[in-house]
Amino acid sequence: MNPTVSFASILRVGKDYFLATSTFEQFPGHPIYHSTDLVQWKCIGHALSRVSQIPLFGSGGPPDGGIWAPGLRYHKGTFYLATASRFVYGPEAKLMSRPFFVTTQDIFSNVWSDPIYLDSLGYDLDLFWDSNGDVYATWSGINNSVDRIYGIYQHKIDIATGDALTPTTEIYTGILPQNSSARPEGPHLYHIGQYYYLLIAEGGTSAPHRATVARGPTPSGPWTSSPHNPLVYNVGLDPNAAVRWTGHADLVQMPTGEWFGTMLGTRPQGGNESHISLGRETFLYPVTWTQDGWPIANGGKPVTEHIPGVLYDKSPLAPYVNEFKSKKDLSGDTSFYFVRTQYKPFASVAPGGGLVLKGNAYNLSDRDAPALLLRRQSAYEETFETRLDAFAPATNWTEAGLSVWYGEFLHHDIGVTLDPAGSGKRVIVTRTLTYPTIITHTPLKSASGNVRLRAVSQSTSYTLGFAEGDNEEFTTTATVDAYYVTVPPPNGAFFKGTSFGLYNTGNGRATLVKARFAYWKQIPVVPAVNAQ
């Protein structure tokens, strides 16, 4: 599937399918994808695109905090996007997030309401309408702030206000032994036939991750676990599976009656779980039902990248080239993201074309909002290139360039700055955060000439390089193992995936020098997958 970045929630309205994914500390939040065949997807906007909806200023969104898993649902003409934001993520997080939802009557308009907050604390919020009109809010929460044993909680709500109408009840704890690593989460409720089904994730989000299903006579249970559980658990079926960490699933039915499911998963390169630079991706698989009414994913076999005989194969990868010839090339492109919420705009299109970034004092290792524009890496083998035009840094604090960026602790940059040794000449600065950070400086020939910058991604590494002018060959300044955008530092998390970015920074000081980038070019290596 095309959509990337972790947990995906899916629904169908008529002939149209819609899917939402997580965005964590990146802004805008929760992209909405549209498809009419479950194979080809297009991003049509974001549910959270205003500061009034989600103010991720400053340290309000730590790495892999921010906006977590969405729940996308539809009821009587209105779309609902349920979510929660982790403003704090770490040992200091004694309480869970306060979930909320936003609404729209026109999902193609890219205009969603301000949040309606619930009275509960938790995340992975699901909304379910029973046939009698009752609305159930179901989420993942903890028993207390000390033991932190997770469970699935629920109460009825007033959908107009989010107010609780019944006491909060723990309705399910999953099928794993109840301890802090079981983590039942990601609940989804369905009413199919005579039963209510509860689909959840268990086992965390790495190798033990799985999806399990239970059913009962009411939206609150009591629940009977499926004898075929887990619904998806690739590593349990095949320890050497190419797709791993599978779970956080959702279900959708086609107009023809066929069922499909979505889930998140990873594709470790070379079988090495320290090389997962694309992070958690969205996968689609067929779902069938047993005679006694239990769902089976992909015939009970591991979900693979390509499932023969199911729908048709068409790679979502395509070259991306943007020369920013008009404002719409920036404002109308739904593939760009910022780190947290902007205090004020810093990206614009130059009158003659090209992307202009007005720098600020934050650099790429600050937990705040640097002048950094991001677009997700789309393939394990991909080349990202730009040209920085006539950038003349005023001091060695002034710097602009290209980044391979996961978060403030995991990024690798190549840019143009002034020689810190005091020569007064421009240099290429290459910075790799490889514990410890390695910084090198390479002299440039010209005082203000154009410089091309490039990052080449291989399955397990990145190579950074530069070339002066339009005709010189690229010079490599660093090659870094993809381990350093996959494995976080102690107490860190790994939920999303790597992005490519362009930046302009004063490294702690205001900068008056704008950076103009002539183009943004991402060229993925497209696998030979033909439509069937």
Side-chain angles (χ1 to χ4, degrees):
M1 292 181 69
N2 185 23
T4 58
V5 186
S6 196
F7 183 86
S9 181
I10 192 169
L11 63 82
R12 177 181 62 84
V13 179
K15 62 179 178 60
D16 297 299
Y17 299 91
F18 301 97
L19 182 142
T21 63
S22 309
T23 43
F24 301 99
E25 77 269 29
Q26 296 182 14
F27 186 88
H30 289 321
I32 307 296
Y33 296 89
H34 170 250
S35 176
T36 57
D37 63 2
L38 290 176
V39 176
Q40 300 185 67
W41 294 85
K42 178 182 179 182
C43 182
I44 59 173
H46 294 79
L48 305 177
S49 59
R50 302 189 305 277
V51 175
S52 61
Q53 294 173 307
I54 181 64
L56 290 174
F57 287 118
S59 59
D64 297 290
I67 303 299
W68 278 17
L72 185 62
R73 292 297 181 255
Y74 177 83
H75 182 71
K76 291 186 177 180
T78 299
F79 292 87
Y80 296 80
L81 189 289
T83 188
S85 177
R86 294 300 300 271
F87 291 107
V88 179
Y89 184 69
E92 71 274 29
K94 299 300 183 183
L95 295 174
M96 303 301 289
S97 311
R98 188 166 182 174
F100 63 90
F101 62 88
V102 294
T103 66
T104 185
Q105 281 73 49
D106 182 1
I107 199 169
F108 291 99
S109 70
N110 199 28
V111 177
W112 292 73
S113 71
D114 279 343
I116 297 175
Y117 284 90
L118 271 63
D119 296 330
S120 56
L121 295 178
Y123 64 100
D124 289 4
L125 175 64
D126 177 79
L127 298 176
F128 173 78
W129 286 258
D130 203 1
S131 55
N132 64 0
D134 289 344
V135 183
Y136 291 80
T138 309
W139 65 93
S140 178
I142 56 174
N143 61 337
N144 59 62
S145 61
V146 178
D147 299 326
R148 301 183 69 82
I149 305 300
Y150 289 75
I152 304 300
Y153 292 83
Q154 185 187 80
H155 57 216
K156 295 180 186 179
I157 65 168
D158 181 340
I159 196 64
T161 64
D163 292 347
L165 300 178
T166 59
T168 298
T169 304
E170 185 179 41
I171 64 167
Y172 194 55
T173 56
I175 64 174
L176 295 179
Q178 282 307 287
N179 54 49
S180 59
S181 65
R183 296 195 68 139
E185 54 189 1
H188 287 307
L189 273 172
Y190 316 88
H191 191 187
I192 303 170
Q194 61 179 316
Y195 294 109
Y196 295 86
Y197 290 82
L198 176 61
L199 176 61
I200 70 167
E202 298 190 64
T205 56
S206 56
H209 192 207
R210 67 200 72 188
T212 59
V213 65
R215 71 186 184 193
T218 77
S220 304
W223 303 105
T224 300
S225 174
S226 169
H228 308 285
N229 272 330
L231 179 68
V232 292
Y233 183 34
N234 268 18
V235 174
L237 294 171
D238 178 5
N240 299 312
V243 179
R244 304 185 193 177
W245 300 14
T246 52
H248 274 77
D250 201 359
L251 300 176
V252 67
Q253 187 178 26
M254 300 181 75
T256 57
E258 298 171 274
W259 286 83
F260 281 86
T262 59
M263 67 174 191
L264 66 82
T266 61
R267 294 181 292 153
Q269 298 300 287
N272 187 339
E273 293 187 349
S274 295
H275 292 129
I276 315 177
S277 53
L278 290 191
R280 306 188 302 179
E281 303 173 273
T282 303
F283 293 82
L284 183 77
Y285 51 89
V287 173
T288 54
W289 295 81
T290 64
Q291 288 187 345
D292 55 348
W294 290 107
I296 303 293
N298 195 35
K301 298 177 292 185
V303 177
T304 56
E305 292 182 68
H306 307 289
I307 303 175
V310 177
L311 300 176
Y312 64 97
D313 273 335
K314 182 176 176 61
S315 173
L317 301 177
Y320 175 86
V321 179
N322 192 334
E323 296 179 340
F324 302 98
K325 294 181 178 179
S326 71
K327 293 181 180 179
K328 190 175 181 180
D329 289 336
L330 176 62
S331 62
D333 192 322
T334 59
S335 64
F336 287 124
Y337 290 86
F338 304 106
V339 183
R340 307 179 181 89
T341 308
Q342 303 173 77
Y343 292 94
K344 56 184 179 182
F346 63 78
S348 62
V349 173
L355 171 68
V356 176
L357 298 185
K358 181 182 184 299
N360 60 39
Y362 300 115
N363 66 40
L364 273 58
S365 294
D366 291 330
R367 183 169 294 185
D368 216 291
L372 169 65
L373 186 65
L374 297 172
R375 189 174 187 274
R376 291 172 185 138
Q377 182 179 340
S378 64
Y380 275 101
E381 296 187 5
E382 185 169 20
T383 298
F384 174 42
E385 182 185 320
T386 190
R387 193 184 74 204
L388 178 58
D389 287 353
F391 183 70
T395 71
N396 63 301
W397 300 101
T398 309
E399 177 188 332
L402 171 156
S403 180
V404 176
W405 194 90
Y406 180 91
E408 61 231 37
F409 300 124
L410 302 172
H411 62 88
H412 312 290
D413 323 312
I414 181 168
V416 175
T417 187
L418 212 59
D419 184 3
S423 69
K425 296 182 179 181
R426 294 194 310 167
V427 295
I428 290 290
V429 55
T430 305
R431 182 183 302 101
T432 56
L433 274 63
T434 52
Y435 322 148
T437 297
I438 298 174
I439 302 174
T440 63
H441 297 93
T442 306
L444 286 169
K445 301 174 186 176
S446 70
S448 61
N450 300 341
V451 179
R452 287 178 290 148
L453 303 171
R454 186 176 72 175
V456 179
S457 170
Q458 299 295 326
S459 61
T460 61
S461 66
Y462 293 87
T463 299
L464 303 177
F466 76 96
E468 294 195 64
D470 291 330
N471 300 316
E472 284 196 6
E473 295 294 321
F474 277 90
T475 297
T476 296
T477 59
T479 297
V480 61
D481 196 297
Y483 173 96
Y484 295 105
V485 286
T486 299
V487 179
N491 299 318
F494 179 78
F495 291 155
K496 47 185 191 294
T498 305
S499 294
F500 293 128
L502 300 179
Y503 69 92
N504 186 6
T505 177
N507 282 298
R509 292 162 169 77
T511 175
L512 304 181
V513 183
K514 296 181 179 180
R516 179 187 179 278
F517 298 91
Y519 54 83
W520 186 302
K521 184 186 299 183
Q522 283 181 235
I523 309 298
V525 175
V526 180
V529 178
N530 298 317
Q532 301 297 316

